[in-house]
Amino acid sequence: MLLLRRGRLLKVSLLIIILILTVAFFMPKPKSQEVEQQEKLIKKDTHLSLKQRPIYKEGILGNFEPVPSNTVREGPGEGGKPYAGRGEDQNEVASVMMEYGMNMVVSNQVTLDRSIPDIRHEECRYWHYPENLPSTSVVIVFHNEGWSTLLRTIHSVLNRSPPQFLKEVVLVDDDSDKEHLKGQLEDYIRQFKGKVRLLHNKQREGLIRSRTFGAQESKGDVVLFLDAHCEVNTNWLPPLLAPIYMNNTVMTVPVIDGIDKDTFEYRPVYRGNTHFRGIFEWGMLYKETEIPEEEMKERKYFSEPYKSPTHAGGLFAINRKYFLKIGAYDPGLLVWGGENFELSFKIWQCGGSIVWVPCSRVGHVYRGFMPYTFGKLAQKRKGPLVTLNYKRVVEVWMDEYKEYFYTREPMARQYDAGDLSEQFDLREKLQCKDFKWYMDNVAYDVLYKFPLLPKNLYWGEVRSMLTSHCLDTMGSQPPSSVGLSHCHGSGGNQVFRLNEEGQLGVGERCIEGDMHHIKLVFCRLGTVDGPWQYDANTKMLHHRHHQKCLQLTPQSSQLHLQECKEEEGGQKWIFRELKVV
Ligand SMILES: *[C@@H]1O[C@H](CO)[C@@H](O)[C@H](O)[C@H]1NC(C)=O
Ligand SMILES: [Mn+2]
């Protein structure tokens, strides 16, 4: 029985094979590789749900996690520990600090491949990411950067990125004049066999335009911008790429750690178990705030990415084609400043999103000051360069909310933002939503700390009728005393604003007073009111809580609150709006 069955089975099988061969013969020729490739791509786009999401597996080491090693490296700066430098080099330190804004003597003694502490949240080790993440060009713009900080940035990227996702590191030299950034750098990167490319601007372009240039020249699916003095941390890349892989209109931002400019110690900027996200205040200064309850609730794991209204500007990843499609950076922005808001508003309002990624951490050296000038890039238009940039961004993206910017920066109303028509065309073409939508749906927590500003009743210099000197914060940081100086009529530390609710402000700070001092203080977050009242008839500035008036004692040039007396010349003040010349 069994034998017989086997025989029949064989016959049937043979028949089937013949049938298949016959059919195959009459089948159309196989599609060209190109067509297949295209079909695959279309499938990929229409079946986004089929894309594998990152998966959390408690206790199972993630697929791109490095194997934990027990060897402890010894040497200056290893493990991210602070390094004081050798005693005999101390004489050099002052001059390199002037030249670079960071201690290059110490940096030069720390190896380019040094170890840094893995200070990620414990959960980060157990995320499993898709295996076919997009390829990445890491773009680093520099101008007169120190050798070892630039090279340590590159080494850390090469050491800590899965090679299959790292297409290249693209260096954009923004017209540096230091010797070591010419032939020596060219020679050094030859060892990386094309994986590190060096591009030169023909003339100084500034950070913003250099970034756009770097993105245009890149070959990866994703461009990832880094500053030239960073060290990327353990398994930093896949968590940044996964959200972009899922949806290529997402910008991803790593969490930034601090590298000390004096000792090169690596340490977290954010402590405790809180997530922060990027916002802004109405003078367009970048701020951060704890992520609101609403966002926490949307997530299952503490270590998951979360939405952020803005980003700090230096470090982020974005699909390259998407970045270019949304116009990259506004080419009218000069050098540095405001470009982070331009990109943030544009992405959100035009259908994309920004997430911060807690499992991706990158160390960054915070300099004390900018060690170089803008050279020929200095403005041709009137107004301070950064505020000019803000004005472009505010005018193009913020609709009626731009009034709060002009309340906070009244001088900016007179600045010339240049031609904005291309930016408005772009906003039209991309069918972007209005700023109110952004405020209501994305950046609602801005108002928790920085409520909409009441109108200014008075603004400008505040001049004493007794001595003709002006109130002046002298550029000092709060808490400090307000002083008096020659009225220079050009704004800055002499631009005061008194709003409808009695708040007297200078820039983002507030003026408070008592019997002894008139003080520059931090404004109370979430409030816009204050104790001040100005009487334009008597010219007196009244402090309602203390029931006193602002008085100048000319002998000592000191400011106090005193009993209000109309006949007292030291209590007469004149607000005068300033004109940009
Ligand atoms: C990508 O993200 C945007 C913005 O959040 C969203 O509107 C869009 O539907 C997402 N696309 C896909 C395919 O998930
Ligand atoms: Mn920097």
Side-chain angles (χ1 to χ4, degrees), residues 220-235:
D221 298 328
V222 166
V223 277
L224 201 167
F225 295 102
L226 289 183
D227 266 17
H229 31 261
C230 288
E231 287 170 72
V232 303
N233 210 318
T234 311
N235 202 12

Side-chain angles (χ1 to χ4, degrees), residues 83-115:
Y83 181 58
R86 295 184 299 233
E88 68 259 35
D89 299 325
Q90 292 309 315
N91 288 330
E92 256 184 276
V93 171
S95 75
V96 296
M97 288 304 286
M98 285 298 289
E99 192 174 349
Y100 295 101
M102 56 184 85
N103 192 337
M104 292 306 301
V105 173
V106 159
S107 176
N108 291 344
Q109 289 165 20
V110 173
T111 69
L112 298 179
D113 296 303
R114 75 149 166 185
S115 55

Side-chain angles (χ1 to χ4, degrees), residues 227 229 364-365 367:
D227 266 17
H229 31 261
H364 169 256
V365 185
R367 283 189 283 233

Side-chain angles (χ1 to χ4, degrees), residues 411 488-495 578:
M411 300 274 287
H488 50 62
S490 55
N493 304 323
Q494 291 186 353
V495 182
L578 299 172

Side-chain angles (χ1 to χ4, degrees), residues 45 48 246-250 307 347-348 351-354 433:
D45 274 344
L48 278 169
M246 298 297 301
N247 184 338
N248 61 23
T249 67
V250 181
K307 287 183 244 155
I347 287 174
W348 276 114
S353 61
I354 302 172
K433 299 189 185 83

